Amino acid sequence: MPVPIRVPFYPHLRAHELLSCEGEAIHDGGYFSLAERMTSEPVLVRFAPRDGWVLDAGCGGGRWLHRLQKAGCRVLGMDFAADVLGAVRQRLHSVPLLRGRAERLPFASNSLAGIVSLGVVEHDPEGPQRFLREYARVLRPGGRLLVSVPYNNGLRRLWFNHRYRRRDRRLSGEAYQFVEYRFSRREMESELVRSGLVPIACCPHDFYPPLNMSVVADQNMLAIRFERTAAGYELRLPPTRSWELSGWWRLLVGGLFRVSPWMVTAEILVVAEKREVLS
């Protein structure tokens, strides 16, 4: 079963404001170049279609719009956050952008050559099927989906998952928000088959060390705390961290990466094809 992750929250904070800095990060001159420091970059570039429109559903700051356009793809981006899209428009003037939700795509059935969906489908408490079936609907026969979800890697199974369980028991009386599911390769491939898509390739989706999304994301989420005040509870958020590790985490992740990138990858990227028209 996929592993659910929950964090403390309060109702006035939107999840993407807590977990994403895409709208600000895009203004950093190195933001787009980070795509080429990811283990999945060759797979994304190789499998993204060149013979039709490729939608980045949940494009965030547009890192992969930029990289795939550079590779010769005809890309368009979509995100639900207006402020993030505004930041993308300032940097990617030639890329069509629209605001919308990935589970309700404004495209005709069998119309797109490809869809990129990175770090999106895991956020539905009911599971990823609403997204995956919608992607399958709009892809044309032979179209490709390149989708990433959080991966329940070895380091998480050995260390971080236990810390989440201890924290959840300790804070069980406070408000929680579901954030994401974390999948094994078999679990994600099974979800794709259920939606009518055929997996054809997969790879780890994270940075090369000393950068690492997996450890930083877990450290950030485990650092979220409620603090009791005279007026009630206030949420204490973690400090902003870059993706670069330091200290013994840097040594540990670097060593485990050399053994196998799967031990420390934040996500799994799966490429799947639509083989026939879905009714």
Side-chain angles (χ1 to χ4, degrees):
M1 292 290 292
V3 176
I5 300 297
R6 301 176 180 86
V7 298
F9 83 113
Y10 61 93
H12 303 296
L13 184 72
R14 292 181 296 171
H16 84 278
E17 292 174 336
L18 173 62
L19 301 172
S20 173
C21 295
E22 290 280 350
E24 293 75 29
I26 188 175
H27 297 293
D28 180 347
Y31 172 79
F32 289 134
S33 65
L34 284 175
E36 298 179 17
R37 298 181 67 180
M38 297 197 75
T39 56
S40 53
E41 187 263 354
V43 174
L44 279 151
V45 170
R46 174 188 173 190
F47 284 99
R50 273 42 170 204
D51 58 347
W53 285 105
V54 177
L55 170 71
D56 189 340
C59 64
R63 180 183 294 133
W64 291 104
L65 289 173
H66 177 266
R67 181 65 188 95
L68 294 177
Q69 184 183 53
K70 182 179 174 182
C73 298
R74 192 181 180 191
V75 294
L76 64 156
M78 188 182 75
D79 203 280
F80 73 88
D83 52 344
V84 172
L85 288 175
V88 178
R89 286 192 180 96
Q90 295 178 32
R91 297 291 298 274
L92 300 179
H93 307 293
S94 63
V95 176
L97 300 172
L98 63 153
R99 188 180 182 189
R101 303 194 68 89
E103 67 271 35
R104 296 191 298 272
L105 297 176
F107 299 98
S109 298
N110 307 305
S111 61
L112 296 180
I115 296 175
V116 175
S117 180
L118 307 178
V120 174
V121 306
E122 67 270 17
H123 296 303
D124 189 336
E126 301 299 320
Q129 280 299 308
R130 277 200 305 164
F131 294 93
L132 297 180
R133 292 184 185 278
E134 182 69 349
Y135 297 162
R137 178 187 70 80
V138 303
L139 283 172
R140 70 191 187 192
R144 287 178 178 163
L145 170 66
L146 298 94
V147 59
S148 77
V149 293
Y151 181 64
N152 197 25
N153 64 44
L155 188 57
R156 284 171 168 167
R157 294 196 303 271
L158 291 171
W159 175 249
F160 283 110
N161 290 352
H162 299 294
R163 294 191 64 201
Y164 279 109
R165 284 193 286 270
R166 288 198 299 271
R167 184 205 61 182
D168 291 353
R169 286 194 296 269
R170 188 170 62 252
L171 300 175
S172 60
E174 310 301 342
Y176 266 68
Q177 174 167 315
F178 168 84
V179 175
E180 65 187 26
Y181 285 113
R182 293 175 175 177
F183 297 81
S184 68
R185 174 177 175 175
R186 180 177 296 179
E187 287 165 344
M188 189 56 200
E189 289 181 341
S190 176
E191 294 286 355
L192 288 163
V193 170
R194 285 180 58 202
S195 71
L197 298 167
V198 179
I200 60 173
C202 75
C203 69
H205 180 66
D206 206 325
F207 296 110
Y208 289 98
L211 307 183
N212 183 263
M213 294 190 298
S214 175
V215 169
V216 172
D218 281 315
Q219 286 178 325
N220 275 346
M221 287 193 282
L222 285 165
I224 298 168
R225 291 289 186 272
F226 279 103
E227 290 184 347
R228 190 186 296 273
T229 68
Y233 283 103
E234 291 185 1
L235 189 65
R236 179 170 63 84
L237 300 179
T240 301
R241 292 188 175 100
S242 72
W243 296 125
E244 185 165 358
L245 301 174
S246 60
W248 71 273
W249 276 115
R250 186 182 185 122
L251 296 175
L252 176 63
V253 170
L256 291 173
F257 184 90
R258 286 191 289 273
V259 174
S260 172
W262 290 105
M263 288 290 293
V264 292
T265 185
E267 299 187 355
I268 178 173
L269 173 73
V270 185
V271 183
E273 282 188 352
K274 179 176 176 177
R275 297 289 173 82
E276 59 186 22
V277 176
L278 301 177
S279 57

